Amino acid sequence: MATDYLERGAVAGVAGGLVYGLFVATVGNAFTAGLETFEHGHGHGGGPVVSELTTTVASVGGGVLWGVLFGVAAFGMAYFFLEPALPGTGATKRLALAGAGFLTASGAPWLVLPPQPPGVEQALGTDTRLAWYAGMMVLGALVAALAALAARRTADRHAAVRLAATAAPLALLAVPVALAPANPVHGDVPASLVAAYRWTVVFGQLLLWATIAGVHAWLGDAETRVSEDLDYPATAD
Amino acid sequence: MQDDTDTARATDSVYDRIDRARASLTGPQIAIAVALVAALGFTLLFVQDPMLHDSLHNFRHSAGITCH
């Protein structure tokens, strides 16, 4: 039963990963390579130790595995436990979990630590940033849980009331954004290009989560198969 | 009997799911699943070995993961 969920989560993850790998192959690799032309003295020193081709191929593979990771963790494991608590039915449940996953893994942390293009140095140390990132992941998950709870509580209200109640917990995210330490960056990438890069990254992650959710919904529920399993021992008895 | 299962399914909760997982999964199965997720996450995000780290450079920037 639970392994059935794991299987469908993994399949959805592979599908999402392949689409995201295509995104890295077509947009990510070229965009990153282009932004690198603004780079002066990369933080790691001494330049990359692998060829450009290796980076290109490995990064596409990394994109595929990124989808597998989200598919297995969110839709293979978390969905099994959270399915009864997620608002709505069918595809809505999947989209709710995908939204929660995006908010937890990327959305909330990026409010404090937005994605940075290559060649941009950040003032905050790596350890400080890791701590803030982890903290924002926890808060993102909490906000997503509160939003799901609000959506369920207002299930029989007017759609507008329900939408407002569901979105209200997002306001909590403004608190750490206001309290976060300043993280001045310096680099030669033009501000408009940084903005374009950031939004490309955001839409890339949204595409990944949406694809996993869509494929998972398309794979259907385990309910029918579960009841079939239950029927067998009943007739055997 | 059938009615009982239907009622149980109608009041399905997160706690029921935890019980179902306890009843149907073995320790090693859970360990393998958790290890897979941890290994993937660790490889993609935290391995600092220059060979692997540089290979995944474009991926990290595409996914918004920044180390520097």
Side-chain angles (χ1 to χ4, degrees), chain A residues 166-227:
Chain A
T166 309
L170 291 173
L172 273 177
L173 293 169
V175 177
V177 171
L179 295 177
N183 184 25
V185 294
H186 72 93
D188 296 324
V189 185
S192 56
L193 204 51
V194 173
Y197 158 76
R198 278 183 187 154
W199 284 106
T200 307
V201 169
V202 169
F203 281 109
Q205 291 302 295
L206 287 174
L207 170 77
L208 171 60
W209 282 105
T211 310
I212 299 176
V215 172
H216 194 266
W218 178 74
L219 288 171
D221 286 312
E223 296 298 339
T224 50
R225 263 180 283 176
V226 168
S227 56

Side-chain angles (χ1 to χ4, degrees), chain B residues 30-54:
Chain B
I30 297 170
I32 288 169
V34 171
L36 174 76
V37 167
L40 267 182
F42 183 74
T43 308
L44 291 175
L45 301 176
F46 297 116
V47 173
Q48 291 294 315
D49 174 70
M51 192 89 88
L52 194 62
H53 189 77
D54 286 0

Side-chain angles (χ1 to χ4, degrees), chain A residues 101-137:
Chain A
F102 171 77
L103 195 67
T104 304
S106 306
W110 283 347
L111 291 175
V112 172
L113 299 164
Q116 298 292 352
V120 167
E121 299 289 335
Q122 304 181 64
L124 281 181
T126 311
D127 288 343
T128 315
R129 280 187 281 131
L130 271 179
W132 270 94
Y133 203 102
M136 288 306 286
M137 284 179 78

Side-chain angles (χ1 to χ4, degrees), chain A residues 1-3 5 20 28-29 32 36 42 44 48-50 54-55 58-59 62-63 65-66 69 72 77 80-81 83-85 110 115-118 120 122 129 197 201 205 223 230, chain B residues 2 5 9 12-14 17-18 20-21 24-25 29-30 33-34 36-38 40-41 44-46 48 50-51 53-68:
Chain A
M1 230 172 344
T3 49
Y5 276 77
Y20 189 65
N29 273 331
T32 310
E36 263 163 13
H42 192 269
H44 302 299
V49 298
V50 292
T54 312
T55 304
S59 290
L65 292 178
W66 194 232
L69 174 66
V72 171
M77 297 161 104
F80 173 77
F81 295 107
E83 192 180 11
W110 283 347
Q116 298 292 352
V120 167
Q122 304 181 64
R129 280 187 281 131
Y197 158 76
V201 169
Q205 291 302 295
E223 296 298 339
L230 286 175
Chain B
Q2 196 59 46
T5 30
R9 209 170 297 151
D12 193 13
S13 73
V14 174
R17 293 301 177 103
I18 294 171
R20 269 168 68 180
S24 62
L25 291 175
Q29 276 180 317
I30 297 170
V34 171
L36 174 76
V37 167
L40 267 182
L44 291 175
L45 301 176
F46 297 116
Q48 291 294 315
M51 192 89 88
H53 189 77
D54 286 0
S55 303
L56 290 167
H57 179 257
N58 291 357
F59 157 72
R60 281 197 315 277
H61 277 292
S62 305
I65 307 156
T66 40
C67 52
H68 52 78

Side-chain angles (χ1 to χ4, degrees), chain A residues 24-65:
Chain A
V24 175
T26 53
V27 180
N29 273 331
F31 206 167
T32 310
L35 287 164
E36 263 163 13
T37 56
F38 295 95
E39 205 167 21
H40 296 297
H42 192 269
H44 302 299
V49 298
V50 292
S51 74
E52 215 167 285
L53 180 68
T54 312
T55 304
T56 302
V57 174
S59 290
V60 172
V64 177
L65 292 178

